[in-house]
Amino acid sequence: DVYKRQLTNKSLDELFEIRYKGSTFYIDHMHKAAEKELKKRYENIFFNCTQNEDIDFLIFPEMLITEEIMSSLKAHKRSESRPIVIINGSIWKDKINKTLITDDEGMKILEYAKKEPFKYRYAGKEYTEWLDQSRNKEYTILEIEGIGRIGVAICKDLVNEDVKLFHKAMETDILIVPAYTKSMDLQTSAENMSEEYHCIVVVANACSALRGKVDGEKIGFVSLPAKNGAQR
């Protein structure tokens, strides 16, 4: 089962205090009112999912989590010892856009920093996400017996050639992508990875990356490798 929750439909400016410098921008902090509202939604989703023994992965979208929200997510006793793997969206801090992968007790499994910045328009000018390139060079793969190699990328990393070639070389089985974008390029790149590298790509998006929304719930998508020429 796939449980879909739209965490917010607010703009970046409504959620964050954004600082602009030259042609770049960075996020200083999340507004307290937005953090309080999101915190309640995270806690409800987390509680419901940790009570469901059939859930293996809980994936949140890019940027919409803070350290305070993460610390508020407490594990609830489950009848099965197998933990849920939680991809905690990403936290924007000190010019690093980083996702933390934990179990349902908050124990860190690995972390990953975003490689490819995105562009943001404000007051008629385009700004580029300011990422500290000296501190986001590492890649990490999680290998789970019976499932395979699990990789994580963040949003525009899915169109970064170095990122894609890494997962091709590692023969990543599932690539999980927290995102916050209205662009269609993620869907195209995900389909290409599934077709060329036989990789399942899971995009958890705060916005809609799909054309032709009908029910307003399509906030992400899964792209599967083609089988015998069938549509992915």
Side-chain angles (χ1 to χ4, degrees):
D1 293 335
V2 178
Y3 291 80
K4 298 178 291 185
R5 299 288 187 271
Q6 187 169 9
L7 285 170
T8 184
N9 58 4
K10 293 181 179 179
S11 66
L12 283 181
D13 290 283
E14 292 177 282
L15 294 169
F16 302 104
E17 183 65 44
I18 302 176
R19 307 297 184 189
Y20 300 92
K21 185 175 182 180
S23 61
T24 64
F25 79 91
Y26 64 93
I27 293 171
D28 195 350
H29 60 270
M30 183 181 287
H31 295 310
K32 285 299 181 183
E35 185 176 45
K36 183 178 180 180
E37 182 179 345
L38 283 169
K39 182 179 176 181
K40 291 181 180 178
R41 296 184 183 183
Y42 273 105
E43 289 173 344
N44 288 336
I45 293 169
F46 185 79
F47 175 81
N48 291 334
C49 289
T50 51
Q51 302 307 297
N52 189 323
E53 297 176 1
D54 295 326
I55 292 178
D56 296 299
F57 297 91
L58 176 55
I59 310 166
F60 292 114
E62 179 188 15
M63 291 200 302
L64 296 180
I65 199 166
T66 63
E67 290 176 337
E68 182 174 334
I69 292 174
M70 283 189 62
S71 67
S72 73
L73 302 181
K74 303 297 183 182
H76 298 273
K77 188 174 181 180
R78 306 171 69 226
S79 60
E80 195 169 336
S81 59
R82 169 181 56 80
I84 298 174
V85 176
I86 303 175
I87 292 81
N88 289 284
S90 73
I91 294 175
W92 220 110
K93 184 178 180 181
D94 298 330
K95 301 180 181 63
I96 293 287
N97 189 338
K98 180 172 66 177
T99 186
L100 298 174
I101 291 83
T102 66
D103 64 15
D104 54 358
E105 295 183 342
M107 181 70 68
K108 187 175 80 171
I109 300 172
L110 58 89
E111 62 183 48
Y112 170 85
K114 187 178 184 180
K115 310 293 186 286
E116 182 72 20
F118 78 97
K119 298 184 185 301
Y120 173 65
R121 293 198 67 83
Y122 176 74
K125 184 177 178 180
E126 187 173 76
Y127 296 88
T128 300
E129 184 180 16
W130 187 358
L131 300 177
D132 186 341
Q133 300 296 339
S134 67
R135 296 191 293 159
N136 64 356
K137 297 179 179 179
E138 294 184 352
Y139 294 83
T140 309
I141 290 290
L142 174 65
E143 190 151 5
I144 301 178
E145 185 177 356
I147 295 179
R149 291 182 173 178
I150 314 297
V152 178
I154 300 176
C155 201
K156 293 298 183 181
D157 287 349
L158 196 51
V159 301
N160 181 295
E161 290 302 318
D162 290 339
V163 173
K164 291 192 287 186
L165 287 173
F166 169 81
H167 291 291
K168 177 184 179 181
M170 291 301 298
E171 297 182 347
T172 300
D173 296 295
I174 303 175
L175 181 61
I176 298 174
V177 186
Y180 193 135
T181 180
K182 295 180 180 179
S183 172
M184 289 295 295
D185 56 358
L186 295 190
Q187 185 179 0
T188 300
S189 186
E191 290 175 348
N192 289 341
M193 286 193 69
S194 292
E195 181 178 17
E196 298 173 14
Y197 306 157
H198 309 290
C199 178
I200 297 171
V201 181
V202 182
V203 176
N205 190 19
C207 308
S208 173
L210 298 178
R211 284 195 180 98
K213 281 198 303 179
V214 176
D215 56 10
E217 293 286 336
K218 296 179 181 177
I219 58 175
F221 57 86
V222 179
S223 180
L224 303 174
K227 181 178 181 181
N228 298 327
Q231 183 178 9
R232 290 182 298 284

